Amino acid sequence: MSAPSYQSPKGVHDILPDDHLYFTFIKKVVRHHCRRAGFRRISTPIFEDVEVFTRSIGDSSDIVEKEMFTLESKSGKKYALKPEGTAGVVRAYLQHGMQQLPKPIEFYYIEPFFRYNRPQKGRYRQFHQFGFEAIGEQDPAIDAQIIYLSYRINQDLGIADRLTLQLNTIGSMDDRKQYREDLINFYTGKERSLCEDCRRRMHENPMRLLDCKEEDCRILASMAPKLEKVISEESKEHFRLLQEYLKELKVPYVLNPMLVRGLDYYTHTVYEFWSKAEGAQNAIGGGGRYDGLVELMGGQPTPAIGYAAGMERVVEYMKEAGIRPPNKDKVAVFVAQLGQVAKKKSLSLINELRDLGINTVGAVGKDSMKAQMGLADKLEAQYSLILGQIEVQDGTIILRNMKKGSQETVPFDGIVKKMSELLGENMLKDKKLWEE
Ligand code: HAM
């Protein structure tokens, strides 16, 4: 068989039904915990003015420098597909006058994002994140609650034990101004030992040099002045209290002074969840405080903190952990029919069963009984209801238990009620899946 003419573009993927079981499960876990904690869902557009991202994420970040999908309108206006969620949420917060609302204002989102990076395992050009943001509160207890929420979600996804929480403080913007100078002084004269990217970034954003993966850069980074030395007492106290609260909440963490995160808007607390597995490189999620961002985007100075996790990476970890999400797509009843009158009767039977909350499939386009029963087997239906000419005449229907291979002829009237009794509580509980 020759390959199909069209393939999805490089780095983007279809989410096929089996994987949707995972995505749906993750969404439900996130929605459950966010709602319980008073967060409300927000969606921002797939694309925004390019400045929304350049201004907030930072001109010298990888995302802005090389990973944004930009678009130009016919009039020459520049847009970008959203590479992350925080910038858009802050833009929406300001645009809709939400500064007037009681603080903190807490949002969550489950959305697709786009980054033009080199596709590799766990790194795609279109991916999905779930994330949350709490705007308007300074207290480290909020940091602890946000970290706890992300940890708690990992627990219910069944992956918390496979991850470590990496935690650091990067101080205030003022602390970092001083540190920036210290770093530039340290690297001046050592440019030849740096990789090309680091040489370029040295003056724009020297902190990025600390998390470069190149060997020579790493050696230099280990000798560079330490951020801890310039962090203000206030920021240290914030971090100390946060750790106290995390201990109280029994959230295990590892202090990682090298963790800086790749987006410029962060201040004070930063954190990521890393795999415990040897050689695993990709963080499953990350976040932190961004106390300067609202002001940078044109609002009043407003503290804030948030987190986002990559859903494709979560799915990968769940699969590695052997976690199978519940399969709500399972077919409970297959309705087979033979002859025109039976076909007509089966149409309303199928819909009555569905309305009762029973997953029901009927191959009403197929006339051969053999083909229909073959399909019922393939779909692993629990029961088949078979309606032939004789049954129509007699006012009966054949009820077949597919697992046991046993069958009986029962009255057609009352079959819907009988099926709901047979399938019991579980199936009826799901009557309207969206009510969950
Ligand atoms: P981020 O670290 O850039 O943070 O992304 C968060 C997560 O999104 C990553 O840990 C990863 O799991 C996933 N991710 C990022 N890029 C890709 C990709 N190309 N392919 C697959 N997954 C990816 C943020 O986006 C911040 N907005 C988080 C935040 C919210 N900070 C404060 N509030």
Side-chain angles (χ1 to χ4, degrees):
M1 214 165 58
S2 61
S5 318
Y6 297 109
Q7 304 273 329
S8 54
K10 203 171 157 190
V12 304
H13 299 279
D14 301 308
I15 304 176
L16 299 178
D18 278 348
D19 273 347
H20 260 300
L21 296 177
Y22 287 88
F23 277 81
T24 305
F25 179 67
I26 298 167
K27 259 184 227 174
K28 283 186 177 171
V29 170
V30 170
R31 194 176 62 180
H32 169 86
H33 282 291
C34 287
R35 274 185 183 163
R36 283 278 190 274
F39 287 60
R40 302 194 65 207
R41 187 159 177 184
I42 189 166
S43 289
T44 58
I46 295 286
F47 63 94
E48 299 254 7
D49 283 354
V50 76
E51 299 96 80
V52 169
F53 304 117
T54 49
R55 190 149 182 77
S56 55
I57 302 169
D59 283 330
S60 59
S61 65
D62 277 349
I63 297 180
V64 169
E65 254 189 357
K66 39 189 187 190
E67 295 177 357
M68 274 209 299
F69 273 97
T70 46
L71 318 162
E72 202 169 305
S73 74
K74 288 192 175 129
S75 62
K77 196 157 174 34
K78 281 217 164 125
Y79 300 104
L81 299 187
K82 57 180 177 183
E84 62 97 51
T86 313
V89 169
V90 170
R91 194 264 313 131
Y93 164 85
L94 290 170
Q95 180 176 338
H96 300 288
M98 289 191 260
Q99 306 96 298
Q100 314 307 331
L101 301 173
K103 310 271 189 331
I105 299 169
E106 294 168 318
F107 304 105
Y108 74 99
Y109 46 87
I110 302 169
E111 309 264 286
F113 293 94
F114 305 85
R115 293 186 194 178
Y116 189 79
N117 34 32
R118 198 162 52 81
Q120 49 189 288
K121 190 171 184 280
R123 196 169 286 277
Y124 311 112
R125 288 182 175 172
Q126 179 180 344
F127 58 98
H128 298 77
Q129 281 183 351
F130 67 80
F132 28 88
E133 315 289 347
I135 302 179
E137 187 58 75
Q138 178 81 60
D139 199 290
I142 295 286
D143 305 34
Q145 290 291 54
I146 288 281
I147 294 176
Y148 181 76
L149 183 59
S150 23
Y151 174 71
R152 189 68 191 81
I153 288 172
N154 287 340
Q155 275 186 327
D156 273 3
L157 294 172
I159 55 174
D161 292 346
R162 307 172 80 86
L163 303 169
T164 61
L165 165 59
Q166 306 281 318
L167 184 68
N168 192 21
T169 179
I170 55 170
S172 67
M173 292 284 182
D174 279 344
D175 298 343
R176 294 223 301 285
K177 259 186 216 146
Q178 166 66 46
Y179 187 52
R180 210 186 116 88
E181 295 306 314
D182 293 353
L183 281 178
I184 294 174
N185 287 339
F186 169 79
Y187 280 110
T188 301
K190 303 185 180 70
E191 291 88 341
R192 275 198 293 161
S193 310
L194 293 171
C195 73
E196 203 180 309
D197 271 351
C198 285
R199 231 176 290 147
R200 187 167 38 81
R201 284 186 183 138
M202 184 180 137
H203 291 278
E204 289 166 10
N205 190 352
M207 273 180 74
R208 294 299 316 282
L209 274 59
L210 298 178
D211 67 357
C212 178
K213 305 282 180 289
E214 293 294 325
E215 171 121 36
D216 285 353
C217 301
R218 272 178 33 201
I219 295 170
L220 274 184
S222 69
M223 298 185 297
K226 299 285 174 273
L227 178 61
E228 296 141 56
K229 299 249 161 63
V230 294
I231 286 182
S232 62
E233 283 311 312
E234 203 186 330
S235 189
K236 278 186 189 152
E237 179 61 6
H238 185 101
F239 198 47
R240 193 189 64 72
L241 282 169
L242 166 61
Q243 291 179 65
E244 236 176 60
Y245 299 149
L246 287 177
K247 281 181 191 135
E248 177 68 26
L249 292 168
K250 301 195 172 45
V251 178
Y253 61 86
V254 176
L255 290 179
N256 180 350
M258 300 304 268
L259 186 74
V260 292
R261 307 263 305 131
L263 300 93
D264 285 3
Y265 50 60
Y266 289 111
T267 51
H268 305 289
T269 310
V270 288
Y271 72 106
E272 286 184 353
F273 286 98
W274 289 4
S275 167
K276 286 181 185 167
E278 190 96 6
Q281 285 195 336
N282 291 329
I284 201 163
R289 271 209 166 265
Y290 49 92
D291 289 349
L293 184 57
V294 175
E295 192 181 1
L296 193 71
M297 302 281 279
Q300 295 294 317
T302 310
I305 179 165
Y307 169 80
M311 291 171 74
E312 282 76 4
R313 293 188 192 172
V314 172
V315 171
E316 218 176 274
Y317 279 55
M318 286 176 70
K319 286 183 179 170
E320 277 170 26
I323 291 156
R324 301 262 324 138
N327 185 352
K328 296 273 166 91
D329 298 346
K330 270 195 186 138
V331 175
V333 177
F334 186 91
V335 178
Q337 37 69 37
L338 203 63
Q340 196 56 23
V341 186
K343 184 184 280 193
K344 269 194 202 154
K345 278 187 99 171
S346 75
L347 283 178
S348 40
L349 174 59
I350 288 169
N351 289 324
E352 276 176 52
L353 289 165
R354 286 178 183 167
D355 279 348
L356 239 121
I358 298 172
N359 289 1
T360 308
V361 171
V364 290
K366 285 192 177 27
D367 289 332
S368 139
M369 185 53 71
K370 196 166 166 231
Q372 292 182 64
M373 293 316 288
L375 188 60
D377 272 337
K378 261 200 200 122
L379 293 172
E380 296 178 7
Q382 274 175 271
Y383 294 96
S384 282
L385 290 173
I386 305 160
L387 197 57
Q389 277 144 340
I390 299 172
E391 288 77 29
V392 171
Q393 259 173 24
D394 295 352
T396 57
I397 191 162
I398 298 169
L399 166 59
R400 185 175 174 81
N401 183 319
M402 300 295 286
K403 239 196 204 135
K404 291 189 186 151
S406 58
Q407 63 181 50
E408 55 178 325
T409 302
V410 297
F412 184 85
D413 287 340
I415 187 63
V416 173
K417 190 162 170 272
K418 186 174 175 71
M419 291 317 295
S420 70
E421 281 163 8
L422 267 179
L423 287 158
E425 278 292 296
N426 282 345
M427 193 50 74
L428 293 180
K429 208 178 79 204
D430 291 338
K431 190 175 174 194
K432 294 200 175 105
L433 294 174
W434 65 88
E435 281 178 354
E436 280 186 346

